[in-house]
Amino acid sequence: MSIVVTGATGHLGRHVVEQLLEKVPAEQITAVVRDEAKAADLAARGVRLAVADYNTPETFDHVFSAGDKVLLISGSEVGNDRAGQHKVVINAAKAAGAALLAYTSAPGTLKAALADDHRDTEAALLDSGLPYVLLRNGWYNENYTEQLAPVLQYNAVTQAAGEGRVSSAARADYAAAAVAVLTGEGHENKTYELGGDEAWSFAEYAAEVSRQAGKEIAYHPVSVEEYTGILTGAGLPGPVAAIIAGVDASVEKGELVVDSGDLRRLIGRPTTPIAESITAALKG
C-alpha cells in the first residue's frame, strides 16, 4: 500500500510530499512526476518515483496498486481539457482498486469558468464509485504574493475584483489538509470547503504591502475587460487571460469567501495570514 501523489514536483505537490515524509516512512510514498530528474532529491530520500503524464493515459497503467490512497492534484494547464486529464487518473485508480482518491478541487461557491473543469472532475469521480474526498481548495496566498515584482515596480495592485474579499491561505496549509486526509481515518466520501480564517480585500492587501515594503502601494481597480487586456499584454493567451480575469469577477461577487472552518479543523491550527506570506515573499 502506498500514498500516491500526482503532480508531486509542482508547487502544492512538493509541500504535500515534504509533509508526508514527516508522518510516514518514505517507502510508503509514491511521487508521480513527468520529469524524473526534477524529483531526484525525493528519490534520494527513499520516495518511490513513477513517471507518468496526464496527457498519456497508458503511462498510468501500472502507477497504482490495490489499497493505495491517491491524491490527484488538479492539472495546471488552464484552458486545456483538464477534466479529461483527471479522468485518466481516476480510471487508472479505479482499475487498480485504490482505497481512496482525494482531489484538489475549487470552492463550491465558485461559478467562474475556471471551476468548470473541477465540477466535471468531481462528477467523474463520484460516477467512478471510488471512495473519494473532495478538497475544495480556496485561493493560495502565493497566487498574489508571487506576483509582487510588478506591484513593487509600478506601486500598484491592479485587479478587477472591486471591493470583493478572498479567504486565502498558504499552499502549505492546503497541503497539510491533504496530508491529514491521506494519513487519517474517516474521510471517505466527504467534501471539505477549504479557505483561510480571514478574508481580505485588495485595498487591504495593497495597504499591507505598503506597510511592509515601506512605500505607498495603491489599489487600482479596473474592469474585467481592462484586466483581460493587461494580462494579454503581459503575454498570456487571450482565452487564459479571460479565465483568470473571470476569477476576479467572482471575487467581487463574494464567491471566494470560504468561511466553513474546514481548513483550520483539518490542520489543527490557524491558517497562515496573508501578511505572513507577504513577509516571506519580500524576504525571498
Side-chain angles (χ1 to χ4, degrees):
M1 191 276 285
S2 201
I3 295 174
V4 185
V5 180
T6 73
T9 53
H11 290 305
L12 181 63
R14 276 206 167 268
H15 277 293
V16 171
V17 175
E18 288 290 345
Q19 292 186 38
L20 280 172
L21 284 166
E22 297 173 5
K23 298 239 179 193
V24 300
E27 59 268 22
Q28 291 182 17
I29 305 168
T30 298
V32 182
V33 299
R34 286 189 292 189
D35 184 349
E36 198 167 357
K38 289 184 178 177
D41 61 313
L42 299 178
R45 295 166 69 183
V47 174
R48 175 176 171 256
L49 301 186
V51 179
D53 189 319
Y54 294 151
N55 295 307
T56 315
E58 60 271 19
T59 60
F60 277 93
D61 285 350
H62 304 292
V63 168
F64 307 115
S65 301
D68 282 350
K69 290 184 177 180
V70 179
L71 176 64
L72 170 54
I73 294 180
S74 57
S76 58
E77 297 172 355
V78 174
N80 287 354
D81 179 20
R82 291 196 296 167
Q85 294 175 332
H86 300 155
K87 287 171 190 174
V88 166
V89 179
I90 292 168
N91 292 339
K94 180 180 180 180
L100 182 74
L101 192 147
Y103 171 63
T104 62
S105 191
T109 49
L110 184 64
K111 303 296 187 286
L114 187 72
D116 293 347
D117 291 340
H118 292 298
R119 299 289 95 87
D120 289 347
T121 301
E122 289 184 2
L125 181 51
L126 268 60
D127 287 346
S128 75
L130 275 168
Y132 68 87
V133 182
L134 299 182
L135 297 167
R136 287 180 168 169
N137 288 356
W139 253 223
Y140 304 149
N141 290 348
E142 292 88 347
N143 287 357
Y144 303 105
T145 61
E146 287 177 355
Q147 312 302 322
L148 276 180
V151 169
L152 296 172
Q153 180 181 351
Y154 297 108
N155 298 322
V157 171
T158 302
Q159 301 283 159
E163 297 177 7
R165 304 181 78 78
V166 180
S167 303
S168 68
R171 277 198 193 100
D173 297 339
Y174 294 106
V179 168
V181 163
L182 294 167
T183 60
E185 300 296 332
H187 300 288
E188 291 83 358
N189 304 329
K190 293 200 173 166
T191 298
Y192 295 110
E193 297 286 348
L194 305 178
D197 294 339
E198 296 179 18
W200 49 267
S201 70
F202 284 101
E204 291 167 347
Y205 176 71
E208 182 60 28
V209 175
S210 295
R211 187 184 71 80
Q212 293 198 32
K215 65 175 183 172
E216 188 61 33
I217 306 289
Y219 172 42
H220 180 49
V222 296
S223 68
V224 169
E225 292 74 22
E226 285 176 289
Y227 193 46
T228 304
I230 289 168
L231 294 172
T232 53
L236 284 180
V240 175
I243 288 171
I244 293 173
V247 170
D248 270 21
S250 287
V251 170
E252 186 167 25
K253 295 172 188 170
E255 294 174 11
L256 277 172
V257 172
V258 179
D259 56 8
S260 67
D262 285 352
L263 183 53
R264 172 194 275 263
R265 282 190 292 273
L266 275 178
I267 66 180
R269 59 169 172 78
T271 62
T272 306
I274 188 68
E276 193 172 314
S277 293
I278 290 170
T279 302
L282 290 173
K283 283 180 181 173

